Amino acid sequence: MSNTRWVVRFTAALAIACVAAQAASPCRAATRQKRYYAHETVEDRHGVIAPWYHGSDGLAAFRVRIAAETLKRYPWIGPPQAAAHVPEYLLSSFWSITPDGNIATRPLDDWMNGDRGQLAGYVLRVMNDYYRYSGDPAAKAHLAMQADLVVDLTQTPADYPWPKFCISVPVKGKPYGQCDPTGFIQLDIVGRVGYGLVLAYESIGERRWLDTARHWGDVLAARCDRTPGAVPWGRYANPEQVPWGKNNQLTGGVVWIAKFLDELIRTGHEGQHGEIVAARDAARAYIRDTLLPAWLAHDTWGRQYWDWEQPTQSMNVSPSVAEYLMDYPEFFSNWRNDARNILSTAINRACVSPASNGEVYSGAWAYPESCGCCGRCLSAGPWLLSPTWARLGVQAESPWAAELARRQLILCLYDLLPHGAAEDNIDGGVITNGSWFESTHLLPLETTLAVMGYQPQWFAPPRENHMVRSASSVRRIVYAKGRIEYDAFDSPAGGIDVFRLAFDPQAITADGVALPRRGDPAANGFTARPLACGDWIVSIRHDGARSVAIEGNDPQQWLAADQFACEGSWETAGTCRETPQPGAAAIVRFHGNQVRLIGRVGASGGLAEVWIDGVKQRAPVDFWIPTSHAPLAGQTLFAASGLAQGEHELRLVARGCRNPRSAGDTVWLEGVQCSSATGVVDFGEGHGPTEAQRWIFGYPKRDDYNDAAGNRWKPGCEFVVRSGDGTDSVAAAWHTTAVRDPIEGTPDAELYRYGIHGRELIAQATVAPGTYTVRLHFAASRGVDTRRNSVSVQINGQEAVGRMDVAARAGGPNRALALEFAGVVPREGIIEVRLSGNSDDKLPVPHRKDGQAVAAEAAPADAFIQAMEVLPQKPQ
């Protein structure tokens, strides 16, 4: 046979067969269920997951609002049970919630107290993000309380071998109180807490938080092994206290230490003689030179969760490393491929368990948090990975990555019930969310805001004003009518702030200097991209300036405090009305579909209730903010969106009481913003990648392969093999060692030197609507007896090839065979290729069991494949 690729074509036959069979047996490319999590399934015109919620604010904004309200109405705890008065979720993620929305806490034991560091890291990060988006000062208050708890309760004694250092996993000691240093001091979690503590300082300015974080950084730097090729730190400062501490191996979690040290450097702290910088550089080099070359090892991106050894790829470490590669593309020059590969293998590995059955549902990938955890809780993995997919979509200009993020987030958002419960069993009901508060609300809040930052056109609420992404911590933001003002901690070169606005900005200034409207962010200035609904996506670059103001013709209306009808005793202080009196009420009627209550907060602020159209809202309004932060005016204290268009009434009622930390009961009212502006919620229907997708299965290299025609092939990871609960899909199914025998019949032998195998292999390609050609590449190598073991292929649920003897079809072993199927139409947003292995009953295999001869029977057979292409067809 000549040295040309042998392609067997099945032009349009598969599409025709599928259409003919639809009436009796619909051709589905993925699983579709009637219900996902807490809601009945809604799909778009293409069979892809669509939002279940139809409010005018959109599903993502609804999720953010309910999560924030749940945080703000959480029960408080205080002495003698706890060392400080705080909302209990700041000290324990052990919770429950009743069907009517009442939150109950569960008894916290020493072991569950070990979550303190991970929990604090979440709170310190997400409150920064939520304040930027909402202007809600409750975020500042909770941020400050958590930072104080970290500094006051989680440090070792001064005479400890790691002095005044974070006890990140305090599994010993009194819950809610001072942490015991004989708990676990897990260093990657120290990095997460330390990073959050620096963010808290940047946001509020409390110096002791920064001083504490700087000391932790100095301790880490002093104990860093900077020998080239060495692991910079162990996983634990005290491995002798950890049941599995003999294997004190730190792998991908080192990224959190590197990120922490980077943030310290950002504040101007480089350590004595530059030791912080040197330690950070050692961590980066370890990632680049040691971990990335070992990207396929199961624990390279694992060993992180605090409650087990976890020598498996983690849905937590994987996106964090990918994010870090994108943070520093000049250092990690292969960041596009490496980030993609790490995220893709995480999905491949997470889907091995038949108990979880992770795969594509209504076009969206759904998978558990690891290869051996949590059954049908299939939202944990996408909650963790989707923000990084979204960022990769923007930074690498990849419609494929962007579409993975969009669909995964929409499916995750099916979890929420309006009273604050969230169902994480994809079939309905709760698994981990029945006890872990951080997975119920903190992680979803962080994820939704992060994806919104990279996909504001689909997820930020229409006809409102929100900062969805920022290059720095935001110290103050005021969302006024037609004018948004904010102060940033700093303004790094090249940093971009992103807004979705209900108006086209007419003027933007930075430190009082007008910024020009530009076509791109190559220099200081702003870009404004219109959306069909009347909104604008605005990106602002303001290197060297910290105070920014945006002005324009905002469709919002402003009703000042003097336009409220008041009951009880209210005093006027400038443009503000205030009262400490129990039951004092302020009432205003407004027209529209959204409303925001604007007021002041201070150290003597009290509590109030809000009623909308006679319905008491679940979360109280707290006018308190810690003394560590100056009083703030113009803050968004309450917001309700997605209201029915029309007349409404808002009633604010002072309770005449306070939280246990406040010095007074005062309520300060400035006014409300409301709007009647409407716009269709665009959730991205019909989007997806239209470019060619080419995979080499089992391919272990980080760089893509360029074939003889100049086409790029990536490692094929978007497939499922049910190798068993807790198993490693790479070890079980990937042929990562190249076949050395010559492969005939192709100019691209590299396509056929690797491959995957398994009783059933399910490859699921995410695509846009259209018509595609699918090519499947096989070679009967590795000594497989293809007379006995044949391969059957289904595409989109229809048989394409039955019981194929690859060697016979190709003309012999080690010969390339490419099967081509044209006219393939996606089903539910994907093209699914399902391969199954068959044993030939005519060639039985006798064998022995327990030393005894057993009658001949068909042997189990594996399917196999080497490569796959999904190619868009041009319209005729």
Side-chain angles (χ1 to χ4, degrees), residues 138-155:
K140 295 280 190 184
H142 289 221
L143 180 67
M145 287 187 283
Q146 184 64 269
D148 282 340
L149 290 171
V150 167
V151 172
D152 294 338
L153 300 177
T154 70
Q155 298 193 77

Side-chain angles (χ1 to χ4, degrees), residues 136-280:
D136 184 348
K140 295 280 190 184
H142 289 221
L143 180 67
M145 287 187 283
Q146 184 64 269
D148 282 340
L149 290 171
V150 167
V151 172
D152 294 338
L153 300 177
T154 70
Q155 298 193 77
T156 61
D159 59 354
Y160 193 77
W162 291 61
K164 302 295 290 181
F165 195 70
C166 178
I167 308 164
S168 55
V169 186
V171 294
K172 298 180 181 178
K174 181 182 177 182
Y176 301 115
Q178 182 67 46
C179 298
D180 189 323
T182 58
F184 308 165
I185 301 178
Q186 187 172 326
L187 297 183
D188 52 354
I189 296 181
V190 172
R192 298 190 78 177
V193 180
Y195 173 74
L197 206 55
V198 179
L199 293 183
Y201 160 74
E202 293 172 358
S203 177
I204 295 177
E206 178 62 44
R207 180 71 192 198
R208 75 184 191 113
W209 303 339
L210 178 63
D211 290 343
T212 297
R214 285 182 169 182
H215 172 71
W216 294 357
D218 291 339
V219 173
L220 282 165
R223 287 158 173 77
C224 177
D225 185 346
R226 301 201 293 268
T227 305
V231 181
W233 299 273
R235 184 176 177 184
Y236 301 98
N238 57 347
E240 69 281 356
Q241 300 290 342
V242 184
W244 49 86
K246 289 183 179 179
N247 190 345
N248 190 28
Q249 185 176 358
L250 179 63
T251 54
V254 73
V255 71
W256 288 318
I257 301 177
K259 195 170 182 67
F260 169 39
L261 299 181
D262 278 319
E263 205 64 23
L264 288 177
I265 294 167
R266 179 173 182 160
T267 68
H269 183 64
E270 298 186 352
Q272 189 174 13
H273 308 302
E275 288 191 349
I276 295 283
V277 176
R280 186 277 314 273

Side-chain angles (χ1 to χ4, degrees), residues 573 576 578 598-602 623 631-635 637 668-670:
C576 186
E578 62 181 53
I598 308 300
R600 286 173 42 200
V601 290
F623 290 79
L632 290 172
Q635 299 296 282
L637 296 161
W668 295 281
L669 171 65
E670 294 179 343

Side-chain angles (χ1 to χ4, degrees), residues 291-314:
L291 296 182
L292 286 172
W295 71 282
L296 275 179
H298 205 358
D299 67 345
T300 295
W301 316 119
R303 299 190 177 276
Q304 188 278 321
Y305 289 118
W306 63 264
D307 52 356
W308 66 300
E309 185 180 1
Q310 206 220 336
T312 60
Q313 186 160 358
S314 166

